[in-house]
Amino acid sequence: MMKNQIRQIFHSPKFTVGFVIFAALLLLTLFYPLIVTDDPLEMVGQGNFFKPGTYISVTEAVNTDPYTLNMNASSGRMEKNLSMEERMAMADWLEQFAGLSPKEMDVTDADGLVSLWRDHYDSASEQKGLIAARKKYFSRLDKKITGLLEDRDVLLAEKNGETGELSVKKTIPSTSYVNVSDVGSRRVFILGTDNFGRDVLTELVAAIKTSLKIGFIAGLIATTIGLSLGLIAGYLGGFIDDLILFITNLFTVIPSFILLILISYSIGKNARGVMMVAVIIGLTSWTWTTRSVRSQVISLRNRDHVNLSKLSGHSLFRIILTDILPYIASYVVMALILQISSGILAEAQLSMIGLGPATTTVSTLGLMMNWAMSYSAHLNGDWWAYFPVIISIALISFSLNLMNTGLDPIFNPQLRE
């Protein structure tokens, strides 16, 4: 029976896709720290938001044996140093004073645009309609382009300790290149660094692990409370049922997130660790599980096998454990999956408003979002500080909800096609 049910579960495309995504994230958090053993919160960069890429030591690069390559170095310089605003200004000038049509110009092709600019721009031309400040802007822009086009050697000077005079120590031609593999000191930041100069990828993997931990703990607490109260209320009925339902309705009326904010704020920053936040989330999100379990138990408590157990003199605990719980076990699993997803999202929401775990030893997905927003990463275009976090939260929630959706038709025959 169990083997057949497991086979049915993994025959569900939705469950399989969700399980693969979730398992991949889980394996990433387990194996990545074995490969990269650095502290996730180590401040490697002395600055904010270094963009993704490979960083090498400039000193070592200068002292590394060079290779002479016949390459046009100015092409790369144009793409990198000419901003889109400057390219648009060049295109406007060429259209207005050189008579070129917009179709002849492509602002995304820096080399082609510069070629047109060199052929047509003349600072001595009349340029009717332009104010003096705008003329000076185009003149400065032309000088900048001229400087970028020049291939000049770089001179390294050395100061004489006795005379204080500078003397040329080394000349680096523009055709000199070094092989990155020859430079010993280098560091790869696949996702750049954050506002504290920490490797975002390493920090993100650790944050996913911590957020999953919070979700599991909060989910287990909420499901345990909801299951226990739902079983007792549904089976016993009467005054106990009314009392538990009253308390459940009381907590349902007050939005759980408001309770989260009030409790998190009231316990203080010093006591608000990862475990404490997980417990708070679990204690405030059990209500819908209780109501759902209670309704399931009410439909089971008068069935023949339950009545037979009552007549046999079995204890309340045994009846609930052996005659009722197995029939709602599938629903409990689905409820746990949703509670885990809700716990992760709740932590992210709390941390975004500054009421998440107050810790400097671990990171969570919510804390990473909070740090990125506090240092205006979204306004400065530093996407690597927050976009991977959003994707991670979305993948976790999507995979768990997809698993839950895939389980629903298997455990509920009425939904099968």
Side-chain angles (χ1 to χ4, degrees):
M1 181 66 178
M2 182 64 70
K3 288 183 180 180
N4 183 52
Q5 199 166 50
I6 292 174
R7 193 180 299 112
Q8 283 183 339
I9 289 172
F10 281 96
H11 279 172
S12 169
K14 291 182 179 179
F15 179 86
T16 304
V17 172
F19 179 80
V20 169
I21 295 173
F22 187 77
L25 291 171
L26 198 58
L27 290 173
L28 179 66
T29 63
L30 294 175
F31 289 105
Y32 183 88
L34 300 178
I35 301 170
V36 180
T37 57
D38 300 326
D39 181 0
L41 300 184
E42 180 186 2
M43 297 182 185
V44 182
Q46 296 183 10
N48 296 340
F49 304 119
F50 293 176
K51 61 184 179 182
T54 301
Y55 291 77
I56 62 174
S57 168
V58 176
T59 304
E60 288 194 29
V62 168
N63 294 320
T64 300
D65 294 334
Y67 299 89
T68 302
L69 300 176
N70 295 320
M71 294 175 59
N72 182 13
S74 64
S75 177
R77 289 199 294 267
M78 290 299 172
E79 289 290 344
K80 183 177 179 181
N81 293 289
L82 278 181
S83 67
M84 190 55 64
E85 180 184 354
E86 291 171 330
R87 298 184 198 187
M88 294 296 293
M90 291 165 63
D92 289 341
W93 191 96
L94 290 170
E95 182 181 355
Q96 186 175 357
F97 300 107
L100 299 180
S101 67
K103 294 181 179 180
E104 298 177 75
M105 298 174 287
D106 182 7
V107 293
T108 61
D109 179 13
D111 289 334
L113 191 63
V114 167
S115 179
L116 292 172
W117 179 263
R118 300 289 290 174
D119 291 339
H120 295 89
Y121 178 75
D122 182 6
S123 59
S125 62
E126 192 172 353
Q127 304 178 57
K128 291 183 179 179
L130 279 187
I131 60 175
R134 195 63 176 169
K135 289 181 181 179
K136 289 180 180 179
Y137 169 80
F138 285 114
S139 179
R140 289 194 302 269
L141 183 55
D142 184 60
K143 289 180 181 179
K144 176 181 178 179
I145 292 171
T146 302
L148 291 173
L149 287 170
E150 293 179 357
D151 288 333
R152 287 181 279 187
D153 295 345
V154 175
L155 303 178
L156 296 181
E158 185 178 49
K159 188 175 183 180
N160 190 304
E162 296 180 358
T163 63
E165 296 180 354
L166 295 176
S167 58
V168 176
K169 178 184 178 183
K170 188 176 182 179
T171 301
I172 304 177
S174 60
T175 55
S176 292
Y177 291 79
V178 296
N179 192 318
V180 175
S181 61
D182 293 340
V183 182
S185 299
R186 61 181 182 273
R187 180 72 181 265
V188 179
F189 295 115
I190 296 175
L191 293 178
T193 66
D194 68 355
N195 51 293
F196 296 117
R198 302 179 297 209
D199 183 1
V200 170
L201 179 59
T202 305
E203 184 182 2
L204 179 65
V205 173
I208 292 174
K209 184 177 181 179
T210 307
S211 291
L212 287 175
K213 179 182 176 181
I214 291 174
F216 274 112
I217 295 172
L220 284 172
I221 292 173
T223 305
T224 302
I225 295 174
L227 177 63
S228 301
L229 293 178
L231 286 170
I232 294 170
Y235 182 75
L236 294 179
F239 174 75
I240 299 296
D241 182 27
D242 292 338
L243 179 62
I244 292 176
L245 196 59
F246 172 76
I247 296 172
T248 304
N249 290 336
L250 192 64
F251 275 88
T252 304
V253 171
I254 305 172
S256 60
F257 190 64
I258 301 298
L259 282 176
L260 272 175
I261 293 174
L262 294 174
I263 297 172
S264 298
Y265 183 79
S266 64
I267 64 173
K269 187 175 181 180
N270 295 332
R272 208 165 56 237
V274 170
M275 288 295 295
M276 180 59 72
V277 169
V279 171
I280 293 171
I281 294 172
L283 292 175
T284 55
S285 53
W286 51 267
T287 52
W288 64 268
T289 305
T290 300
R291 295 178 66 90
S292 301
V293 170
R294 172 184 171 273
S295 63
Q296 296 273 346
V297 175
I298 289 174
S299 67
L300 290 170
R301 67 185 180 187
N302 291 321
R303 290 194 179 181
D304 293 340
H305 68 284
V306 177
N307 290 328
L308 184 61
S309 292
K310 292 178 183 177
L311 293 173
S312 300
H314 293 160
S315 65
L316 170 66
F317 180 77
R318 180 175 175 178
I319 293 172
I320 291 177
L321 193 64
T322 61
D323 297 320
I324 293 179
L325 187 57
Y327 287 86
I328 62 170
S330 57
Y331 177 79
V332 173
V333 172
M334 294 167 63
L336 175 61
I337 292 174
L338 287 179
Q339 290 284 14
I340 292 171
S341 178
S342 300
I344 293 170
L345 291 174
E347 182 277 322
Q349 290 174 316
L350 275 179
S351 296
M352 281 287 291
I353 61 175
L355 292 175
T359 174
T360 57
T361 57
V362 295
S363 61
T364 68
L365 294 172
L367 285 175
M368 288 186 69
M369 283 293 294
N370 178 267
W371 295 330
M373 302 297 278
S374 298
Y375 283 78
S376 303
H378 59 298
L379 298 177
N380 299 327
D382 303 322
W383 58 267
W384 56 88
Y386 62 89
F387 192 69
V389 181
I390 295 174
I391 293 296
S392 299
I393 294 174
L395 282 175
I396 293 171
S397 298
F398 174 71
S399 63
L400 289 172
N401 282 279
L402 205 59
M403 289 166 64
N404 188 74
T405 306
L407 288 174
D408 209 11
I410 296 168
F411 294 143
N412 189 352
Q414 294 179 352
L415 298 177
R416 294 177 190 172
E417 296 179 358

